[in-house]
Amino acid sequence: MLFRGVRGLSRKVGVLSIVGSTSSIVAAMEDQLDRFGYEIGSDIELVDPGVLEVDELDAAAADMVSDDVELVLAISTPAALAATAAAEGTDVGVLFIASDPVRSGLVNAGATGVASAEAMEKRVELLTMLGPDVHRLVVLEVSTDRASKMSSLGALLASNERELAATVVTVDDPADAAPALRDHPIAYDAVVLTSSAFWTGHYDDITAEAARQGVPVVGGISLSGSGMVLNYASTTEALGEQTAQIMASALEGTPVSDIPVVTARMELTIDLLAAARAGVDIPPDLLARADHIVGSDRVEP
C-alpha cells in the first residue's frame, strides 16, 4: 500500500531519544517514508534535538508538545515514558521504540510502536552454544532503568532453566560497570548486558574489561561496532522501516491507540574481532546461525 501525505501541509513530528544509534534509525525511517510518498522537510517536519541526556527528557518532551507536534517518536523506554507523560491530556500521539511496552505502561498510556523484543532467553541460549565451559554469568543492570531490571529478571530465569549460575551486578551509574567487572570477587565465564539505553557511551569500556578477563559479552543493541561477541537485536534499518509503517498509518488518520504494537525483527551478529580479543572460539554451528559476522568476508558495511 502506498501512503500519501497531505501536499502543502507539513506535519510536525518530534524525535526524543537518548540512544546513540538514533541517527541511523531515523535515516532508515526517512528512506521508508519516502517510499511511502512522504518527503521529509516538505510533508513531514522533524523536530529533532539530537541525542539527549536522561535528565533532559522531560523538558524536551514538554517543549515538543508545546511546539504543536502531531506525533512524538520516542526511542528507548525512558524517552517513551517522558513523552507519554508530556502528551497526557493532549492530542499528541506517541510512537515508541522500546522494550516491553506493556509492563512499562506505555500501551496503557495510549502509545504504540515497535517493541524491541527482550529475547533474553535467546541470548543466554547463544552463550551456552559457545561450549561446555560457560557455567557462571554476570548480569549487568542499571538500578534506575526499569527496562534494565526487567531484562535482568529475564536473564535470571533463562539461566536457571539451563542450570547456569547467574549473579546480578547492579550499578547506579553505567560508568561503574567496567570497574564492577574488574573487581567482581567471583570468577565468571560470560557477561550478559541487560537491555538499556543507559549503556550508550559505555560499551567500549565494558567489552574491553570483559576481554581483559577473557570472557565474552552478549547483549542486544541496535548499534554496530559495540564490541560484544554476540549481539542479538533488531538492526537500525529494521527498526526504522517498521517505525515508518506505523508513522504512516498515524499520519493517514488512524488513531495511535488503534495501531497495533509490532515486534522488532531480530538478528544475530557475531563479532569475530571481539571474540579474538577475549580469547573466545566461536563454534561452527553457532557461526552458521549468524545473520551478520564482523571480521570475516560476511561483514556488512
Side-chain angles (χ1 to χ4, degrees):
M1 178 178 182
L2 180 65
F3 297 91
R4 290 291 177 186
V6 180
R7 298 302 172 185
L9 177 61
S10 181
R11 321 285 288 277
K12 191 179 292 187
V13 176
V15 179
L16 191 68
S17 179
I18 57 173
V19 178
S21 57
T22 295
S23 60
S24 298
I25 295 172
V26 171
M29 180 189 73
E30 290 178 353
D31 288 344
Q32 187 66 37
L33 285 170
D34 183 68
R35 287 191 283 272
F36 288 158
Y38 285 98
E39 182 178 347
I40 301 298
S42 176
D43 300 310
I44 299 174
E45 176 189 350
L46 289 183
V47 179
D48 185 357
V51 178
L52 303 171
E53 299 295 331
V54 176
D55 58 7
E56 297 175 319
L57 287 173
D58 290 339
D63 287 344
M64 288 180 186
V65 171
S66 64
D67 195 27
D68 294 327
V69 298
E70 184 173 341
L71 299 169
V72 175
L73 169 60
I75 304 176
S76 78
T77 299
L81 291 171
T84 53
E88 185 177 5
T90 74
D91 294 329
V92 176
V94 176
L95 311 181
F96 56 73
I97 299 174
S99 59
D100 208 339
V102 175
R103 280 198 287 179
S104 62
L106 294 172
V107 174
N108 287 340
T112 192
V114 182
S116 51
E118 176 46 46
M120 189 54 78
E121 181 177 352
K122 181 67 174 181
R123 294 181 189 122
V124 172
E125 175 193 344
L126 292 169
L127 277 177
T128 64
M129 294 181 66
L130 287 173
D133 293 334
V134 177
H135 301 291
R136 299 174 301 277
L137 310 181
V138 163
V139 180
L140 286 176
E141 73 170 19
V142 183
S143 63
T144 54
D145 186 7
R146 186 186 308 178
S148 179
K149 296 182 79 66
M150 290 189 294
S151 178
S152 178
L153 176 60
L156 290 176
L157 292 174
S159 300
N160 184 59
E161 289 177 0
R162 288 166 176 75
E163 298 183 346
L164 302 175
T167 302
V168 176
V169 174
T170 305
V171 296
D172 298 325
D173 184 343
D176 294 332
L181 290 178
R182 180 194 62 213
D183 300 334
H184 192 63
I186 303 173
Y188 52 94
D189 306 313
V191 174
V192 179
L193 205 57
T194 54
S195 301
S196 174
F198 287 70
W199 299 123
T200 300
H202 303 282
Y203 295 112
D204 288 347
D205 290 341
I206 293 170
T207 56
E209 182 57 42
R212 279 191 285 271
Q213 303 293 333
V215 300
V217 177
V218 65
I221 63 166
S222 304
L223 182 68
S224 61
S226 65
M228 290 187 291
V229 175
L230 303 174
N231 185 26
Y232 186 66
S234 179
T235 65
T236 55
E237 292 79 8
L239 289 175
E241 290 171 2
Q242 290 178 285
T243 300
Q245 293 170 354
I246 294 172
M247 185 175 293
S249 294
L251 293 174
E252 284 295 303
T254 304
V256 168
S257 58
D258 290 346
I259 302 174
V261 175
V262 299
T263 301
R265 299 193 298 269
M266 307 294 282
E267 297 182 350
L268 171 61
T269 298
I270 297 178
D271 191 332
L272 294 180
L273 303 178
R277 287 192 292 271
V280 175
D281 293 325
I282 307 296
D285 59 338
L286 182 53
L287 281 174
R289 293 195 176 197
D291 298 287
H292 311 285
I293 299 178
V294 177
S296 79
D297 293 338
R298 286 176 58 186
V299 62
E300 298 199 357

